[in-house]
Amino acid sequence: MRLPVVAFAVLTLPLIAAGCAPSTSPGVEGADPQARPCFMANMVTNFRSGDGQNLYLRAGRNGGVFELQSVGFCRDLDWAQSIAIAPEFGSGARLCPGDRVTLAYRGGGAMPNGPCRAVVERKLTEAEVEALPSRSRP
């Protein structure tokens, strides 16, 4: 009876150890995780949504602009007057490209806006920020 338990422990130990190993983002071999373009949710200073499905945030010490794309439909996101960003899946307060977030926002329509899910897509370059329409630029 003890043999299956011991065999299970021996076979799963390498998988558990691999899950604890530090990892890098795909396509960036040997990259320092601290060098990734990330932001803290509490460091967001401004936001805009031009089309209702993409959200642009100005965040961080240097005021970088990040693009978030909604997962599904976010009603009246382009009319939001205030926003709260909460990481999903316990990813912590540091949000990087690929991380999923929940957006809670107010304003705009007559109906209350429920929570909306989004993914942090990327940090925009200065040229990309300048190329955004003025209504979408935070």
Side-chain angles (χ1 to χ4, degrees):
M1 204 69 151
R2 288 188 57 177
L3 186 58
V5 173
V6 171
F8 178 76
V10 168
L11 292 175
T12 58
L13 188 58
L15 295 175
I16 293 170
C20 296
S23 64
T24 60
S25 62
V28 186
E29 293 300 320
D32 178 14
Q34 297 297 325
R36 290 178 61 199
C38 302
F39 66 96
M40 303 291 272
N42 63 350
M43 298 286 288
V44 174
T45 58
N46 199 359
F47 69 94
R48 292 272 176 95
S49 175
D51 62 3
Q53 297 306 303
N54 290 332
L55 183 69
Y56 299 99
L57 306 172
R58 186 168 299 276
R61 287 178 272 192
N62 298 330
V65 175
F66 291 83
E67 177 184 8
L68 278 69
Q69 185 171 23
S70 66
V71 177
F73 179 70
C74 294
R75 182 181 50 196
D76 291 334
L77 182 61
D78 50 341
W79 292 96
Q81 297 171 355
S82 64
I83 195 164
I85 303 167
E88 287 186 1
F89 307 119
S91 62
R94 187 167 185 227
L95 300 171
C96 303
D99 288 345
R100 292 182 170 268
V101 297
T102 299
L103 305 174
Y105 54 96
R106 296 180 51 118
M111 299 292 289
N113 300 325
C116 177
R117 294 175 54 199
V119 175
V120 179
E121 288 294 322
R122 63 194 173 109
K123 181 178 181 182
L124 277 65
T125 64
E126 288 298 320
E128 290 172 325
V129 173
E130 291 300 319
L132 287 173
S134 61
R135 70 180 180 280
S136 299
R137 197 176 313 135

